[in-house]
Amino acid sequence: MEKKIGSLILFFILAGAVVAAGCIGGGGTQTSTQSSASSTSSQTQKEVTLVIATPEEIEGTDIQQVSWANIVHDLIFQSLVVYTLDLKGVVPNLAESFEVSKDGTEITFKLPKDAKFSNGDPLTAEDIKKSVERYRNVSPYSEDFAVVDKIIVKDSQTAIFKLKEPAGYLWAVLASVYGAPVNVNLANKIGNEAFNRKAVGSGPYRVEEWVQGSQITLIRNPDYKTHIPFVKNKGQFKFDKIIVRFIPDDFTRVSELKAGNVQIVFGIPLEQVATLKKDPNVQLLSYLQPGIDYIMINTKKPPLDDVNVRKAIALAINRKELASALQNLVRPAYGYLSLAQVGYDEATEKELQNEYSYNLEKAKQLLAAAGWKDTDGDGIVDKNGKPLKLTLMVPLDRPVIKKAAPIIQSQLKKLGINLELREYEYSYIRKMTREGNFDMAMRAYWWNDADILIYIFHSDAGYPWSNPKVDKMLEEARTISDFTERAKKYGEIQKAIANEMPVIPLFSEYQYVGVRKEVKGVIMGIDGSIYLNDAEIS
């Protein structure tokens, strides 16, 4: 389920050297046009355009046909609900209100009477039902709604989701852009291919023009309304247009921000963070990775099949030293969830930190207990005459993890382990870990709900390690709706996993979004969710 790993950052990995038409350096794009009401009078109107730059071009505009999403989809579509900024609850967005039955198997959504898609078509409870049904047929993530037994349309404003069982994890889908309703009637009329080029949702904007390889222009939806309590502006955004430019080159993207040719830039490279913090014309917004970077261990391959060896390696990794070497652009992790995820429990994190913080002496004792000692004085421990040599697969296309690898190599050498680093593309490493063809591998995941753990640690996930007790706990956690109880359960799960250490948590990465100083009112959640409802150019 590394799906939405790309989407949240997803969750927000938001080209071309040519400046967007009408763009004015240092501020928002304001194009003046004049129209004469008579030969003696005229009226000037100012068109305000916000320009955003992202590293990657979208696959398509239809959220139900793409495998990852970015800010473009957040502007076109509108989810029924959203998480609060601290991920401690769920609040209405498109829905006027919602209610959950006592047993957690029914969710009733109430839509406003005047709800509309951005092309003016009415948006009713029947459209919500059709949208979920289409998602199940066309989305690469059709299983997202597997727990939904049926959707009952009580009336034009009321849709009742009847679940097979309580499912706390479903909120992560309902609150994401993936779960947002699309105009299915229009999609059926023009076909999926055409709809993917110019999809229609109920978000604050609709597609005007998509120039592939360059940019997409979005125009304001006059019928947009939201019920998000933490934004002041519940109606139309203050920008007539939003242009999202696709600029893959880091240097070019940042240069355009400094020059004022774009007002918001996603995917700020870490090496530019210090410089931009000093730029008086730029403000940096930061958020924490909703997940962790970690080392996956092949627990079926000697000597890593010995838990003492795995725990020794974990204790020999100095996460504070790692963070310092990475310019404190990461937050050390000792558990398997970050505070930017639903289900995070601070008490569990502290408990695991106390138990698995850097302790080289204890690590050496564990290795010795497993029979590994330096008998020849060469600095590398050995057993039965064989030195302890391991290979760590390192993703060459994940900059932060790549930079951390040689530091870990040096730290494990102090333990007496000869660690060889081998670099591959991340997709290849994922393939090798699923096939069990590795010693250790550096991996990462991004998803703002703790349910992601079931796709890594459950026996059905297909990785080397499995534990029936943990399987059961993960399955039980999925049915818990109460946020506090879920966090408590996932705390127990993390401790059970750590006890066998099939995965060594390293850190969560800080991510940065660059915003020009003249842009005011941008709101960001702790998981990187961006809200432009109150944004304006001063």
Side-chain angles (χ1 to χ4, degrees):
M1 176 99 160
E2 288 183 333
K3 91 182 190 174
K4 297 160 185 176
I5 291 171
S7 78
L8 281 181
I9 274 149
L10 2 205
F11 198 171
F12 302 153
I13 294 179
L14 297 182
V18 181
V19 177
C23 189
I24 299 174
T29 306
Q30 296 193 358
T31 305
S32 297
T33 58
Q34 293 189 352
S35 58
S36 298
S38 65
S39 59
T40 59
S41 65
S42 64
Q43 181 180 8
T44 301
Q45 296 178 333
K46 289 185 177 180
E47 184 179 83
V48 181
T49 300
L50 178 73
V51 184
I52 297 172
T54 72
E56 299 178 5
E57 182 165 11
I58 57 173
E59 297 174 307
T61 65
D62 180 8
I63 192 60
Q64 295 191 350
Q65 295 188 66
V66 298
S67 60
W68 59 270
N70 69 11
I71 188 65
V72 172
H73 304 94
D74 292 324
L75 294 169
I76 297 173
F77 300 99
Q78 180 185 23
S79 55
L80 288 165
V81 295
V82 295
Y83 280 119
T84 55
L85 296 176
D86 60 2
L87 299 181
K88 299 297 184 183
V90 178
V91 293
N93 183 11
L94 167 60
E96 192 173 72
S97 63
F98 65 92
E99 183 178 348
V100 183
S101 63
K102 289 184 178 180
D103 65 359
T105 61
E106 284 190 10
I107 308 174
T108 302
F109 292 101
K110 194 77 173 180
L111 301 178
K113 291 182 180 179
D114 56 351
K116 293 181 180 179
F117 287 107
S118 60
N119 66 342
D121 290 348
L123 200 171
T124 67
E126 184 64 35
D127 292 299
I128 301 298
K129 180 180 180 180
K130 287 180 180 179
S131 189
V132 173
E133 290 172 346
R134 180 176 184 267
Y135 190 98
R136 285 171 157 166
N137 289 326
V138 305
S139 173
Y141 310 118
S142 57
E143 286 298 304
D144 280 352
F145 286 107
V147 75
V148 179
D149 186 39
K150 58 183 176 180
I151 298 176
I152 299 173
V153 177
K154 184 176 179 181
D155 54 50
S156 62
Q157 292 176 255
T158 311
I160 303 172
F161 284 56
K162 294 188 73 68
L163 313 183
K164 298 173 184 176
E165 62 181 1
Y169 65 90
L170 182 62
W171 290 109
V173 179
L174 293 171
S176 76
V177 69
Y178 289 93
V182 306
N183 191 330
V184 176
N185 291 334
L186 178 62
N188 291 339
K189 181 179 179 180
I190 66 175
N192 285 342
E193 184 176 349
F195 192 73
N196 202 22
R197 285 202 56 81
K198 211 166 186 177
V200 171
S202 61
Y205 288 84
R206 60 188 176 89
V207 180
E208 181 180 59
E209 183 184 26
W210 175 15
V211 181
Q212 288 184 285
S214 178
Q215 66 185 37
I216 187 168
T217 302
L218 308 172
I219 55 177
R220 187 165 52 190
N221 172 13
D223 296 313
Y224 172 77
K225 291 181 181 179
T226 184
H227 298 88
I228 299 175
F230 53 79
V231 300
K232 295 177 182 177
N233 176 27
K234 312 293 186 184
Q236 298 180 50
F237 281 21
K238 298 174 184 178
F239 310 107
D240 299 282
K241 289 185 178 181
I242 293 182
I243 295 173
V244 181
R245 296 174 56 197
F246 312 123
I247 309 179
D249 182 71
D250 289 344
F251 178 80
T252 303
R253 202 166 56 253
V254 173
S255 295
E256 290 291 79
L257 176 68
K258 290 179 178 180
N261 295 327
V262 298
Q263 284 74 55
I264 298 178
V265 167
F266 289 85
I268 296 293
L270 295 184
E271 59 269 20
Q272 291 284 347
V273 170
T275 301
L276 288 175
K277 282 183 176 179
K278 299 175 184 177
D279 192 322
N281 297 312
V282 175
Q283 51 187 322
L284 280 182
L285 304 180
S286 66
Y287 64 94
L288 190 65
Q289 171 185 351
I292 63 167
D293 294 356
Y294 60 91
I295 296 176
M296 179 174 282
I297 301 175
N298 190 342
T299 58
K300 293 185 178 180
K301 188 174 182 180
L304 296 170
D305 57 343
D306 189 325
V307 68
N308 282 334
V309 174
R310 300 196 297 270
K311 286 189 175 182
I313 293 171
L315 289 167
I317 294 175
N318 189 333
R319 294 166 180 79
K320 290 183 179 179
E321 184 181 70
L322 271 177
S324 179
L326 295 171
Q327 301 178 319
N328 291 313
L329 297 174
V330 300
R331 185 177 190 271
Y334 299 87
Y336 301 96
L337 297 173
S338 84
L339 57 78
Q341 289 179 280
V342 178
Y344 172 81
D345 180 61
E346 186 176 358
T348 299
E349 180 68 16
K350 288 182 177 179
E351 186 176 337
L352 292 172
Q353 180 177 356
N354 290 335
E355 188 170 356
Y356 295 107
S357 285
Y358 176 66
N359 191 330
L360 186 57
E361 289 309 309
K362 186 177 178 180
K364 289 180 177 179
Q365 292 170 13
L366 287 173
L367 270 191
W372 293 94
K373 298 178 181 179
D374 183 8
T375 61
D376 55 10
D378 66 350
I380 302 299
V381 295
D382 53 83
K383 184 177 182 180
N384 300 325
K386 185 178 181 180
L388 182 47
K389 181 179 180 180
L390 299 171
T391 301
L392 177 65
M393 301 179 77
V394 181
L396 54 83
D397 47 357
R398 296 292 176 98
V400 176
I401 307 179
K402 181 181 176 181
K403 289 178 182 178
I407 304 169
I408 293 171
Q409 181 185 45
S410 176
Q411 291 177 349
L412 293 191
K413 188 173 183 179
K414 295 177 183 178
L415 180 60
I417 295 178
N418 181 6
L419 185 67
E420 180 184 357
L421 307 182
R422 292 184 182 176
E423 295 185 356
Y424 305 97
E425 289 187 353
Y426 190 72
S427 58
Y428 179 78
I429 293 177
R430 283 194 303 180
K431 178 176 181 291
M432 290 296 99
T433 51
R434 285 197 178 278
E435 293 177 358
N437 188 15
F438 72 108
D439 287 346
M440 301 193 298
M442 300 188 81
R443 298 273 309 258
Y445 75 82
W446 300 65
W447 184 232
N448 65 356
D449 190 272
D451 187 60
I452 187 70
L453 297 185
I454 202 170
Y455 297 94
I456 301 170
F457 296 107
H458 195 282
S459 298
D460 291 343
Y463 296 114
W465 180 78
S466 66
N467 183 318
K469 178 184 175 183
V470 172
D471 290 348
K472 185 178 180 181
M473 294 171 73
L474 286 166
E475 291 163 7
E476 290 172 349
R478 306 194 94 197
T479 67
I480 301 173
S481 299
D482 181 84
F483 278 55
T484 302
E485 288 301 312
R486 283 193 85 208
K488 182 179 178 181
K489 188 68 175 181
Y490 278 110
E492 296 173 4
I493 291 170
Q494 291 179 80
K495 285 182 278 190
I497 294 170
N499 190 51
E500 296 191 21
M501 201 60 71
V503 161
I504 300 174
L506 297 175
F507 45 72
S508 297
E509 301 176 28
Y510 287 106
Q511 300 292 305
Y512 294 87
V513 177
V515 181
R516 293 285 302 182
K517 286 286 188 181
E518 59 268 20
V519 179
K520 310 294 184 183
V522 178
I523 297 174
M524 177 180 282
I526 63 172
D527 64 344
S529 302
I530 290 280
Y531 298 91
L532 301 178
N533 304 68
D534 298 328
E536 60 183 333
I537 298 175
S538 62

